[in-house]
Amino acid sequence: MLAYIIRRLLLVIPTLFGIMLLNFVIVQAAPGGPIDQVIAQIRNAQGGALARITGGGASEAGGEQTRAGRGIDPKLLADLKHQFGFDKPPGERFLLMMGNYLRFDFGNSFFQNGSVVGLIAQRLPVSISLGVWTTLISYLVSIPLGIRKAVRDGSSFDVWTSGVIIVGYAIPSFLFALLLIVLFAGGSYVQWFPLRGLVSDDWARLDWTQRILDYLWHMVLPVTAMVIGAFANLTMLTKNSFLDEINKQYVVTARAKGLSERRVLYGHVFRNAMLIVVANFPAAFIGILFTSALLIEVIFSLNGLGLLGFEAVLNRDYPIIFGTLYIYTLIGIVMNLVRDLTYMLIDPRIDFATRRA
C-alpha cells in the first residue's frame, strides 16, 4: 500500500508538467494577451490619440511586435514586454514558471493589486463553502434516496420521486437560483434570505453563535440552487448501480441462505454498488468546487474562485490563469488518489498495489 502511494505521488510532477505545458501553449497562442489589454486601455484613456488598432489582437508570444502594438512607441512596448516577462523566450518562461510553481510561488496578478496566492486565499472561503456544503448535502440525500428507489423500483414512491428528480435535472442551477431570489430574497414575494455576500456587513461585530447562524443564513439559497442538479445526477447513479447489483446471482444466493434484506443490501450489495459512486466523487467535487459555482457566484455576488478564474481569462491575467489551473490540477490528482484508496477500503478485493503503477 505504502509503495503504491509513493509511486502515485511520484507521478504527480510529470502529470502536472504535461498538463501545464499543454495549457501554456494554448494560452500563448490565444489572441489578445496582457500587452494588448494594456495598449487597448491606453488608447481608450487617451480617446484615440494613439494610432488606431489595426486588425485583431495577436499573442505576445510570437514576433517582436504585436498587431495591437503597431503605432506604439517602441520603448513603451519594450517596457511592457519586460514588465510582463515577455522579453524572454517562451520555453524559458515556462521552465521559470514551473520552477516557481513547485515552490508554490505564483507571482503577482497582472491587473489586480496583490499576489495570486493572496487573491486565491481571499476567494477560497466562498468556493470551499459552496463546494463542501453542496457535496455533503447531495451525498447525504442522494445515496439513501437512490438506495430506497432501487429497493422499491416501480412503486409509486419510485415514480413520483423520479418526476421530482427529472424536474430538478432539467432546471439549470442558475435559473433555479433566480427563482429562489424571486420567491425568498425580496424579488416579488418575501425576503427571508439575504441577496448577496457570504456574511453580513456587521458580521465582525457578532458573537460566534450569531456568526455561524449568519453564515448559514447566507448559504441557504446558493447551496440550494447548486444541490438540485448535483442531487439529481447522483440519485439516479446510485439507483442504477444498486439495481444492477441487486439482480446478480450472489444476491439471490444470499437471500436463499435466509439473510435479512437489510443484511443483503448493506452487507453485500452496498460495497459493490458504491464503487461507481465513489469513482464519480472526484470529478463531481472538482466540478462543484471550481466550475459549477461560476453563475451562482455572479447571481449572489459571491467572490469565489470560479469568478476569479473567469475574470482572469477575460483580462488575460496569466499568473491567475496558470496559478488556479495548477491548483485545480493538483487537487484533482490528489482526489483521484483518494478515490483509489477509498476503493480498497470499500472492497478489499481491489488491490492497486499489486498492479503496475
Side-chain angles (χ1 to χ4, degrees), residues 74-93:
K75 183 178 183 305
L76 173 60
L77 196 58
D79 290 341
L80 289 174
K81 286 186 177 182
H82 178 73
Q83 176 183 344
F84 291 116
F86 291 107
D87 53 344
K88 299 180 179 67
E92 182 180 347
R93 283 190 280 120

Side-chain angles (χ1 to χ4, degrees), residues 54-233:
T54 59
S59 172
E60 297 84 351
E64 291 295 321
Q65 189 178 30
T66 66
R67 291 182 183 178
R70 291 176 183 173
I72 295 295
D73 182 3
K75 183 178 183 305
L76 173 60
L77 196 58
D79 290 341
L80 289 174
K81 286 186 177 182
H82 178 73
Q83 176 183 344
F84 291 116
F86 291 107
D87 53 344
K88 299 180 179 67
E92 182 180 347
R93 283 190 280 120
F94 176 75
L95 293 176
L96 181 62
M97 179 186 75
M98 290 304 299
N100 292 332
Y101 282 12
L102 290 176
R103 302 192 303 270
F104 289 91
D105 178 10
F106 301 111
N108 296 318
S109 168
F110 284 164
F111 302 108
Q112 298 192 46
N113 185 23
S115 66
V116 174
V117 172
L119 291 170
I120 291 176
Q122 291 175 9
R123 308 289 187 99
L124 195 58
V126 173
S127 295
I128 291 293
S129 296
L130 292 175
V132 169
W133 284 115
T134 301
T135 304
L136 181 62
I137 295 173
S138 297
Y139 272 75
L140 288 177
V141 173
S142 300
I143 292 177
L145 180 59
I147 295 174
R148 187 170 178 82
K149 284 176 63 62
V151 172
R152 301 182 61 179
D153 183 44
S155 66
S156 59
F157 171 82
D158 180 45
V159 172
W160 73 261
T161 53
S162 294
V164 174
I165 290 172
I166 292 173
V167 172
Y169 182 77
I171 300 177
S173 59
F174 74 91
L175 189 60
F176 191 72
L178 295 176
L179 177 63
L180 291 176
I181 290 175
V182 171
L183 295 178
F184 304 112
S188 299
Y189 297 91
V190 297
Q191 190 170 2
W192 291 347
F193 299 99
L195 181 59
R196 63 184 66 230
L198 187 64
V199 293
S200 300
D201 295 335
D202 60 345
W203 187 79
R205 297 193 296 270
L206 303 176
D207 60 47
W208 68 272
T209 54
Q210 291 176 324
R211 289 184 181 184
I212 294 174
L213 292 175
D214 182 76
Y215 163 76
L216 295 175
W217 184 45
H218 281 75
M219 282 289 98
V220 169
L221 294 188
V223 169
T224 301
M226 293 184 63
V227 161
I228 296 301
F231 125 87
N233 284 325

